[in-house]
Amino acid sequence: MTDVLLYDVAGDVATITLNRPDAMNSLNLELKDALRDAVAAVAADQSVRAVVLTGSGRAFCAGQDLKEHAEALQSVPLDQIWQTVGEHYTPVATALATMPKPVIAAVNGIAAGAGASLAFACDFRLAADTAGFNVGFSAIGLSADTGSTWTLPRLVGRAKAVEILMMPSTIPAPAALDLGLVNQIVPAAELPAAAAELAARLATGPTVAYGAIKRALAYSAAHPLEASLGFEGEMMALTGATEDHRNAVASFVAKEPPTFRGR
């Protein structure tokens, strides 16, 4: 157990809160370990049908804890330092992007570096009106990790992704909305309620279908049309065999609202 990350499950919704507010929720080793384990656990928990990722205090996540990183550069071999990409950042981004249930980033403040990448790996991004994004890897002489070279061009296009990654600056919430980086902006005080409302709505939806949609979108991003159509057929067969599909069709015929149970 650790205090740097809060994990709460209410009904079908799990909330993961990065909890180093005095350090702008920057990712030190303790928090990286906890976050990796939490997203793996929630991905495997079939009782959870929607996930919220957020931060405590005034920041969503400022990315890697650079104070800890600076100390490591003086005392730890470089190959050991960069093992964190494979041990932490890659599995977290993979779990967020691929878990078979919707994930909402409730971006309550600045999301920088890997913190921005975490938000991009989620399925929905709700931003406080005080939030901002800065993918500032190149500002400290680095490339990019946590999936941002994959997610960012798919959100804003390659040309804009190149600009954002190579010429980093803080993108305020309204500009992020215009670019397609976020789905919705809400007043900061209303963000927790807005995220909870969206999560509750998604948690009552066809969970298997949501997971299949995520898989199909990821597949189509790396495959030609013919293969993508074939994969769509597989996902239709998968979801067409669910209890949710049968019940929804019966509800349609009966002119009643469907009830989805996520199976």
Side-chain angles (χ1 to χ4, degrees):
M1 299 297 292
T2 177
D3 293 332
V4 300
L5 183 140
L6 307 178
Y7 185 87
D8 176 70
V9 178
D12 298 329
V13 176
T15 301
I16 299 171
T17 305
L18 308 178
N19 191 42
R20 297 185 71 216
D22 292 342
M24 296 182 70
N25 300 318
S26 59
L27 298 160
N28 65 355
L29 180 58
E30 183 182 9
L31 181 51
K32 286 186 288 188
D33 281 342
L35 179 59
R36 177 197 59 202
D37 295 346
V39 294
V42 78
D45 188 344
Q46 295 185 8
S47 69
V48 172
R49 295 171 62 187
V51 181
V52 176
L53 176 64
T54 192
S56 61
R58 61 192 178 92
F60 175 73
C61 176
Q64 171 67 39
D65 184 327
L66 290 182
K67 181 178 179 181
E68 182 182 80
H69 182 65
E71 293 172 355
L73 286 173
Q74 302 301 316
S75 59
V76 179
L78 284 177
D79 61 338
Q80 292 183 25
I81 290 175
W82 296 112
Q83 287 176 5
T84 191
V85 175
E87 292 179 359
H88 299 106
Y89 293 117
T90 296
V92 169
T94 301
L96 290 173
T98 64
M99 70 173 70
K101 62 198 74 177
V103 185
I104 302 161
V107 185
N108 54 299
I110 188 67
S117 300
L118 290 175
F120 300 156
C122 297
D123 302 305
F124 296 86
R125 281 158 297 282
L126 302 186
D129 53 7
T130 54
F133 297 84
N134 191 321
V135 192
F137 296 100
S138 65
I140 54 171
L142 294 175
S143 53
D145 61 24
T146 322
S148 57
T149 60
W150 195 92
T151 55
L152 192 53
R154 286 164 174 78
L155 291 170
V156 301
R158 185 184 185 279
K160 197 65 181 179
V162 169
E163 178 185 335
I164 291 170
L165 287 165
M166 290 190 182
M167 302 173 64
S169 62
T170 299
I171 303 169
L177 181 63
D178 290 341
L179 286 171
L181 287 176
V182 300
N183 301 90
Q184 183 182 355
I185 299 173
V186 298
E190 299 176 15
L191 180 65
E197 181 180 358
L198 177 58
R201 174 183 174 184
L202 292 167
T204 60
T207 311
V208 178
Y210 292 155
I213 289 168
K214 291 179 68 166
R215 290 176 62 187
L217 287 169
Y219 188 93
S220 68
H223 292 83
L225 175 61
E226 183 177 1
S228 297
L229 290 170
F231 192 77
E232 281 186 348
E234 294 178 27
M235 293 300 97
M236 288 296 285
L238 172 70
T239 56
T242 61
E243 176 184 320
D244 277 348
H245 171 64
R246 293 193 299 272
N247 289 346
V249 172
S251 296
F252 178 82
V253 172
K255 298 182 178 180
E256 299 173 348
T259 299
F260 296 111
R261 303 188 184 280
R263 54 181 186 265

